[in-house]
Amino acid sequence: FGRLDHLTVAVICGGPTAERGISLNSARSLLDHLKSDKVDVLTYYMDTATRTYPLSNAQLYSNTPSDFDFKLAKGGKGEPFTSPEHLVEHLKTSADVVFPMIHGEWGECGQLQRLLEREEIPFVGSSAETCERAFDKHAACEAISDQGYQTIPSLSVDASTLADLPSRLRDWLGLNRFDEEALFVVKPCLGGSSIGVEVVRGYDEATLALQRLVDATPERSFVLQPYVNGVEFTVNVVETSKGPVALVPTEIEIAEREGRPKVFDFRSKYLPSLDVQMHTPPVSFSESITGLVMRQAEDLFSKLDLRDFARFDGWFLSKREASRVLRKPVPFVFSDLNIIPGIEQNSFLFRQAACVGLSHSAVLTNVMRNACSRQDMQFPEGRTTIAAPASPGSRDIQRSSRQKVFVLCGGETSERQVSLMSGLNTWLKLSKYADLDVVPFLLAAPMVSRDAHSAKYQEMMTHRTQLLEFGCPEEQLPSNLQPQLVLKDTKGGGSGLPLEQWKVWRVPYAGMLFHTVEEVDKFCEDRSEEGRNGSQHGTLRPLDENEMGVSAYFATDRGLEDVLYDRLEDAELVGLQKLNSRWKNSEKFNVASFVEEAKQENAVVFLAMHGGVGEDGTIQRLLEQRGVRFTGSSSSACQVCMDKMFTAELIGRLAAEGVKAAPKKALYYNNLLANSECGQCADESWTNLVGQLDAQSLCIKPCGDGCSTGVAKLNGPGDLRVYSRAVTENDQEIRGNALSEPHPPVALPENAFCPFIIEPFVETAEVRIRRAGDGEGDGEELLMAGDSKWIEVTVGLVGRQGQMRALQPSITIREFGSILTLEEKFQGGTGINLTPPPQDVVSGACIKTAQMRLELVAASLGLSGFARIDAFLHTDTAELIIIEVNSIPGLTPSTVLFQQAMAEEPAIFPEQFFRMIVDTAAASDP
C-alpha cells in the first residue's frame, strides 16, 4: 500500500434537497470524529443551484444552511465553484480522498460519483453505477427482488405514465390482491427515506394524490406502496477486510395515535419524543430473526455491489400481515436502501456500532480505511484527543491524574429529551481531552401521568370546597389547600419519592446514543446487575401468536453482540473496545449516592439538565451542601432565573439602564379550568388581561418549565379558551392551527398544574430568508419588512460570576408561526439563527451597547459559568426587553451558543467552549 503520513479528506455536504440540513449535521460529525493530527478535513457546501463553496468550521456548526446560505451568495470567502465539474477539478489537487455526504440528489444518485470516477479521484462509498440503481426507491426494490428476496410491492408513476394511472393502478391492486379501500403510502422515488411521505386510503385517494404530486412536479417520479402494519427495523452494514459485516439492528416502535397511521417521518426521526421508541438490539422479535436479518443484509450488500457502508430499512411481519402484503409470505422484508445514511451524533450507525465496542471515531476510521485500501492507500491513524487545554483565557487544572467530570442529564421535565442531547454532546466533546475522565450519568426521574396529576388536584379541590362550605374563611385555609401555593411548588415528578432517592444511571457508551430518556433508562435497566440476572434483549420472544418461526441463526450459546464482536476482531478493525463492564454495563445510583460518588472522586459535575430540579437550584443546592464543584450558576441564581415572575421583578429594577422585562400576570390551573368551562369567564379573563397588560395580543407560557414548552400567541378570548381546554384536558399538545393564527403543534408541559404566565406579545420586524423557488433567483436572500424596530435575539454569556461577557448575538428567525417552535430550536437541520446579526439589520454600535447591558443583567442575577438570555432588541436605541434567562441553556450539537463562540476573536471552538465551562467550575471554591 502507498503509505501516507498525512491525509486530506474533502467532505461535500448540502445539496439541492430538503435534506441538506441533515447533510450539514452529518458533515459536522465527520469533522468532529475524523480530524486528527494526521488527518485534515476540508468541508465544501453545495447550494440549491449546485454551486459549491468552501465552508468554514463556524459555518459547519450552524443548525441549518439557511444560517449562512444568503451570505455566500452575497460574496462569501472565495469565489464559488460554479458547477460540480469545477469543484471536482479543484479536488484533484486539494484532497486525497472525497467523502460525499450529500443526502438525496447529487450525493446518492451517482452524479457526483460519476464525476469523481472520471477524474480518478478516490472517494468513500459505492460506485456511480450502484448509486444510480439503488437511489430510486422503485428500482431499489426491483434490485432487491432480482436477488431472490421478497420486498414491498411498489408502483412507479411519473408524467409519462400519468395518463394510464387508473388502469395501471387497478391492475397493480389486482395483481397483489390488495383491497381497494386499504391504506397506501405515497412518496418520491428519489429522496430520503422520510421526506415527503403521505398515507392515503383506497384507490380514489391514491389516484388523486399521485395526480396532484406529478402535476406539481412533473420532473419527478413517485412510488405507491401498501401501508405495512408491522415492526420497522433498520440495520447498517460496514465493509471489512473479511467482507461485509452487519451491525446490531434497531427496532423502531411508533406509538399509536388515535386517527393517525404510524409513520416514521422526518419529525419522528430527528426530533426526540415519546412518539417513537428505538430498541438496539430489537426486543419484539427473536435473536434468530435478528441474526437472519443481519446475514441477508450482508448478502444483499455484496450482491448489489455496495461499498464501505450502507443502511437497509425493512419490516418484520406477522404471518397474517405477510400474507396480505406479499405474494410469498416471509418473516421480514427489506424495503429501502440508503447509500449515504445520516451520521448525526446519535444516528443508527453510531448506536449500532457502539453495541459491539466501536466508538464514533473508530467506526468512521474503519470506513475510511476500507475506502483507502481500495485505492492502495493506507489511512494514517492519528491522535484524535487533545493533549492539553486550549481554551483562550482559561486556567489549566493542576493535577497529577485525570480530572473526573460527571455529566448529568435527563430529569423530569418536558425538555428531558433535549437534556439528553445536550448531555451526549457535552460528554463526546469533553472526552476529546486526554487529561479528563468524562463519565455520562442520567437522572431517570419518577414520572407521574397527567391523569394522576389531575386526580391529585381534584382531591385537593374537594377538601377545599368542604372546608369553605363549613364556613372556613379563604385566608385561613391550610397552605396545602390553596391552589396558588400548591401549584406553584409542584415539580414535574410529583411522585412522592424524595429527590435524594430518584434513580441515577452511569450510562455505558451505547446507552447514551438513544433518542429519549425513557429508552436510555430501559437500556440501563437491562444492562444493570439486576437486569443481567433477569431477562435480556435477544430472548426468543414472539411478536404475537402469528410470528413465523425460523431456525436459530447462531450455532452457539453466546449472545449476538459477543459473536459480532468476534467477527469484527477477526476482521482486524481498529479501535475495537473490549466489551468490559464500563463499556457494556450500567451502574445504578440514586441522587444522594451520586452526589457522594462525585464527592469521593473529586469530580466536577457538568449539569446539562433543562428545567425542573436540574435548573431551579435543587440539584445545585445538594451539590453545594456536600462541597461538590459543578458547572453553571449557584443554587440561588438558578432559583431566581427559573421563576420567570421573580426574574422579571429583579430585571425591572434595571430600567434606567435600558433593560426591562415585559409586564406579567400569573394564571393557575383553577383559572384555566374556569376559562375552559365557561365562555363568559374566558371573555372576562381576556378583557382583564389585555387591560392590565396594555396589549392587543398576548403570549402564554409555563412559569417554571424550559424555554420551548407550551409557548403560544393568543389573539382573543377564543384562543385563551382553546389553550385552557388543552391544558385542563391533559392533552400532550395543542394541535396545529387550533388557534386563530396558523401555527404548528404546541407541546404542553408534563405537569399541567404549574403556574402559567401571560405577557404582552411583542410585534417584531419580519426578518426572513427567501429560498430558491420562493421567487426570482436561484439562491437564498435575507429580507426584512414591517415598521417595527424590534428584533428577537438570543445571546450567550460565559465567565465567572460578576465577570461574564456577552458573546455575539444571534437573530432568531421564525418560519412556522409567531412563536419559535420546538423543531426550530432543537430539531436537526431546522431553525435559522443569524450570527452575528447582519449590519443592514442592526448596527455594530447597537450590538455593543446591548452586550454591555446584558452583562449587567448577568451580574445582577448572579449568573456564572455560562448562560443564555433571550430578548427583544430595539435596533435604534439598543433597549432590551428580556424574554427569558436560561441558567443552563441547550448544548445540542448545533446550538446557537457554538456559533456565537466561533464568531469571537479568536474563535472559540466547541471543545474549547466546554473546557472553559469545566475550568471555571474546577477553579471555584467547592
Side-chain angles (χ1 to χ4, degrees):
F1 284 4
R3 177 177 293 276
L4 292 175
D5 293 328
H6 204 92
L7 190 80
T8 299
V9 180
V11 177
I12 306 175
C13 64
T17 74
E19 290 186 287
R20 66 188 189 278
I22 300 302
S23 169
L24 186 74
N25 294 344
S26 295
R28 186 188 309 123
S29 286
L30 288 173
L31 176 67
D32 283 345
H33 302 294
L34 268 185
K35 185 176 174 60
S36 72
D37 59 342
K38 293 185 178 180
V39 177
D40 283 332
V41 178
L42 305 177
T43 311
Y44 297 85
Y45 166 74
M46 180 183 288
D47 69 9
T48 55
T50 68
R51 295 175 300 229
T52 307
Y53 301 81
L55 209 59
S56 70
N57 288 342
Q59 291 164 331
L60 189 59
Y61 276 93
S62 300
N63 191 39
T64 169
S66 292
D67 289 357
F68 57 79
D69 208 332
F70 72 96
K71 299 178 186 177
L72 298 176
K74 278 191 168 184
K77 295 182 179 179
E79 290 297 317
F81 302 102
T82 55
S83 69
E85 289 81 4
H86 292 158
L87 169 66
V88 170
E89 185 66 28
H90 162 77
L91 294 175
K92 288 170 63 176
T93 56
S94 62
D96 299 303
V97 181
V98 173
F99 203 132
M101 196 38 70
I102 297 176
H103 304 314
E105 288 182 56
W106 274 103
E108 295 181 271
C109 64
Q111 292 173 282
L112 178 59
Q113 289 83 353
R114 184 74 64 191
L115 294 176
L116 294 170
E117 287 173 350
R118 189 179 67 191
E119 299 297 335
E120 298 183 348
I121 299 175
F123 63 91
V124 178
S126 298
S127 68
E129 181 180 356
T130 298
C131 290
E132 289 166 0
R133 181 173 63 249
F135 182 53
D136 184 299
K137 290 181 173 62
H138 181 70
C141 285
E142 289 187 333
I144 292 172
S145 181
D146 289 344
Q147 302 305 323
Y149 291 100
Q150 288 279 310
T151 188
I152 303 297
S154 62
L155 177 70
S156 179
V157 179
D158 58 21
S160 67
T161 61
L162 187 60
D164 299 327
L165 176 60
S167 60
R168 290 182 65 230
L169 180 53
R170 287 201 183 279
D171 291 343
W172 181 75
L173 292 174
L175 177 65
N176 292 284
R177 307 185 309 279
F178 293 146
D179 187 329
E180 288 198 5
E181 295 304 314
L183 290 176
F184 298 94
V185 175
V186 178
K187 50 189 172 183
C189 277
L190 306 178
S193 57
S194 55
I195 297 289
V197 180
E198 293 185 31
V199 178
V200 297
R201 179 175 291 281
Y203 171 89
D204 291 336
E205 282 191 21
T207 302
L208 291 173
L210 288 165
Q211 288 176 336
R212 169 175 50 81
L213 292 167
V214 173
D215 287 342
T217 53
E219 72 282 1
R220 303 182 73 85
S221 58
F222 297 86
V223 65
L224 179 73
Q225 295 178 332
Y227 175 85
V228 179
N229 186 17
V231 177
E232 195 165 357
F233 68 83
T234 186
V235 57
N236 283 276
V237 181
V238 293
E239 190 175 16
T240 74
S241 60
K242 297 296 179 68
V245 176
L247 300 176
V248 181
T250 297
E251 172 190 336
I252 301 162
E253 178 186 352
I254 304 174
E256 296 278 0
R257 283 291 188 94
E258 186 176 352
R260 298 187 196 175
K262 296 190 293 185
V263 176
F264 191 44
D265 58 13
F266 190 84
R267 187 180 192 270
S268 301
K269 183 177 288 187
Y270 296 111
L271 185 67
S273 76
L274 295 182
D275 287 345
V276 176
Q277 298 279 295
M278 303 183 193
H279 309 284
T280 311
V283 297
S284 291
F285 45 98
S286 64
E287 193 163 275
S288 61
I289 291 285
T290 302
L292 193 60
V293 166
M294 295 164 64
R295 185 174 65 181
Q296 291 191 5
E298 293 168 1
D299 185 50
L300 275 173
F301 189 97
S302 297
K303 289 181 175 178
L304 296 177
D305 296 322
L306 300 174
R307 298 194 314 216
D308 298 330
F309 76 124
R311 196 186 81 222
F312 291 94
D313 301 334
W315 294 92
F316 172 67
L317 307 169
S318 68
K319 186 174 182 179
R320 180 180 303 168
E321 186 68 1
S323 299
R324 183 187 74 84
V325 173
L326 307 174
R327 298 181 195 175
K328 180 182 177 182
V330 292
F332 63 88
V333 293
F334 294 106
S335 58
D336 205 354
L337 168 59
N338 294 272
I339 297 293
I340 303 178
I343 53 170
E344 293 187 301
Q345 271 188 352
N346 55 1
S347 65
F348 293 122
L349 174 65
F350 292 135
R351 185 184 316 150
Q352 294 173 8
C355 284
V356 288
L358 289 170
S359 67
H360 290 64
S361 293
V363 69
L364 292 177
T365 295
N366 284 290
V367 168
M368 288 298 306
R369 286 181 76 217
N370 194 76
C372 287
S373 67
R374 198 168 51 247
Q375 305 293 329
D376 293 332
M377 300 161 55
Q378 187 172 37
F379 184 74
E381 296 166 31
R383 178 170 52 83
T384 58
T385 56
I386 303 173
S391 308
S394 70
R395 286 171 30 179
D396 294 4
I397 301 174
Q398 300 297 323
R399 69 184 74 88
S400 57
S401 60
R402 297 168 72 200
Q403 168 69 53
K404 280 193 177 291
V405 179
F406 289 179
V407 178
L408 183 63
C409 59
E412 83 282 19
T413 74
S414 56
E415 289 195 301
R416 62 190 180 276
Q417 318 305 359
V418 177
S419 169
L420 178 60
M421 296 164 64
S422 294
L424 170 62
N425 192 41
T426 302
W427 167 56
L428 289 174
K429 291 293 193 300
L430 285 175
S431 293
K432 292 188 174 185
Y433 284 95
D435 62 333
L436 298 182
D437 181 9
V438 189
V439 186
F441 288 86
L442 178 89
L443 175 60
M447 301 302 295
V448 176
S449 70
R450 295 168 185 269
D451 290 340
H453 279 304
S454 180
K456 184 176 180 180
Y457 174 80
Q458 295 301 333
E459 181 183 10
M460 176 190 71
M461 294 303 292
T462 298
H463 293 161
R464 170 187 165 86
T465 301
Q466 291 172 347
L467 284 178
L468 290 174
E469 289 176 348
F470 281 129
C472 179
E474 174 88 28
E475 63 274 10
Q476 293 182 17
L477 286 172
S479 59
N480 67 322
L481 296 183
Q482 296 186 33
Q484 278 80 346
L485 295 177
V486 172
L487 299 178
K488 184 174 182 179
D489 292 336
T490 300
K491 300 191 187 301
S495 65
L497 185 68
L499 172 66
E500 288 82 359
Q501 296 179 30
W502 287 14
K503 182 170 52 180
V504 177
W505 290 110
R506 181 191 59 75
V507 186
Y509 197 112
M512 283 299 293
L513 304 184
F514 285 90
H515 279 212
T516 67
V517 167
E518 288 72 12
E519 291 168 330
V520 180
D521 185 25
K522 176 64 170 64
F523 183 88
C524 289
E525 285 283 4
D526 289 345
R527 302 303 177 100
S528 67
E529 185 174 354
E530 296 91 335
R532 293 194 300 277
N533 293 332
S535 61
Q536 301 184 54
H537 287 291
T539 55
L540 291 172
R541 183 164 66 87
L543 176 67
D544 59 30
E545 70 277 6
N546 294 316
E547 180 179 346
M548 304 181 70
V550 176
S551 299
Y553 171 54
F554 297 108
T556 174
D557 293 333
R558 301 183 67 206
L560 178 147
E561 293 173 6
D562 293 321
V563 172
L564 183 52
Y565 177 90
D566 290 345
R567 295 183 63 201
L568 295 175
E569 188 175 45
D570 184 54
E572 298 180 341
L573 266 66
V574 299
L576 191 62
Q577 300 289 322
K578 290 290 185 184
L579 295 179
N580 56 27
S581 59
R582 176 108 177 228
W583 184 275
K584 190 175 181 179
N585 299 326
S586 62
E587 184 178 359
K588 183 186 285 187
F589 298 81
N590 57 33
V591 170
S593 61
F594 166 79
V595 172
E596 192 60 32
E597 179 80 1
K599 174 71 173 177
Q600 295 299 319
E601 295 287 346
N602 193 30
V604 172
V605 176
F606 196 114
L607 293 173
M609 298 168 62
H610 309 313
V613 298
E615 198 173 356
D616 68 2
T618 304
I619 295 290
Q620 289 84 350
R621 192 171 298 109
L622 291 176
L623 295 169
E624 288 169 347
Q625 290 170 355
R626 292 296 294 137
V628 176
R629 295 166 298 173
F630 59 90
T631 59
S633 300
S634 66
S635 61
S636 57
C638 288
Q639 184 176 5
V640 167
C641 294
M642 199 61 188
D643 186 329
K644 297 180 178 69
M645 295 289 287
F646 191 35
T647 305
E649 181 183 331
L650 291 182
I651 291 173
R653 302 171 188 172
L654 301 176
E657 302 295 336
V659 179
K660 64 181 180 180
K664 292 175 173 58
K665 291 291 180 179
L667 289 182
Y668 296 91
Y669 185 85
N670 49 319
N671 305 128
L672 298 179
L673 192 62
N675 292 333
S676 67
E677 294 177 344
C678 169
Q680 182 179 350
C681 294
D683 291 341
E684 292 175 356
S685 179
W686 179 263
T687 300
N688 290 334
L689 288 168
V690 294
Q692 293 168 359
L693 297 174
D694 190 23
Q696 297 301 310
S697 297
L698 302 175
C699 180
I700 186 169
K701 64 184 78 171
C703 183
D705 216 307
C707 62
S708 59
T709 301
V711 186
K713 180 185 179 183
L714 308 180
N715 289 311
D719 285 347
L720 178 60
R721 192 174 185 189
V722 168
Y723 191 100
S724 299
R725 184 180 295 122
V727 171
T728 56
E729 291 181 356
N730 292 325
D731 293 343
Q732 294 183 12
E733 65 181 24
I734 300 173
R735 59 179 176 80
N737 301 326
L739 302 174
S740 58
E741 279 190 15
H743 66 90
V746 178
L748 293 174
E750 298 283 343
N751 178 14
F753 301 93
C754 66
F756 289 77
I757 60 174
I758 295 272
E759 59 190 19
F761 180 84
V762 178
E763 295 289 347
T764 60
E766 182 186 355
V767 183
R768 69 181 183 89
I769 300 294
R770 183 197 60 76
R771 293 191 171 92
D774 293 344
E776 296 181 1
D778 56 6
E780 297 198 350
E781 182 181 359
L782 178 68
L783 301 177
M784 188 169 178
D787 298 327
S788 176
K789 294 293 185 180
W790 293 98
I791 58 173
E792 186 174 347
V793 297
T794 184
V795 187
L797 299 102
V798 294
R800 299 178 184 176
Q801 183 176 345
Q803 302 175 23
M804 296 193 82
R805 62 188 176 98
L807 302 175
Q808 282 286 337
S810 300
I811 297 179
T812 54
I813 295 183
R814 304 181 299 271
E815 292 195 286
F816 305 113
S818 300
I819 302 288
L820 276 176
T821 67
L822 196 68
E823 289 88 346
E824 288 174 308
K825 289 190 175 184
F826 301 117
Q827 179 172 288
T830 308
I832 303 174
N833 295 285
L834 307 182
T835 312
Q839 288 288 315
D840 50 356
V841 175
V842 56
S843 69
C846 183
I847 289 173
K848 285 192 175 298
T849 301
Q851 287 175 303
M852 292 173 56
R853 289 172 172 171
L854 289 170
E855 289 166 359
L856 175 61
V857 171
S860 300
L861 296 177
L863 297 176
S864 177
F866 70 114
R868 195 191 76 227
I869 298 178
D870 303 332
F872 296 109
L873 170 64
H874 196 284
T875 55
D876 285 345
T877 65
E879 183 182 1
L880 291 163
I881 302 176
I882 304 299
I883 304 171
E884 194 104 37
V885 179
N886 295 277
S887 58
I888 305 182
L891 293 170
T892 59
S894 52
T895 181
V896 71
L897 292 184
F898 300 139
Q899 301 169 44
Q900 294 175 5
M902 295 185 77
E904 293 290 294
E905 291 290 344
I908 305 171
F909 286 83
E911 293 88 351
Q912 297 172 317
F913 184 86
F914 282 109
R915 185 58 189 255
M916 287 175 63
I917 297 170
V918 170
D919 285 354
T920 300
S924 64
D925 295 327

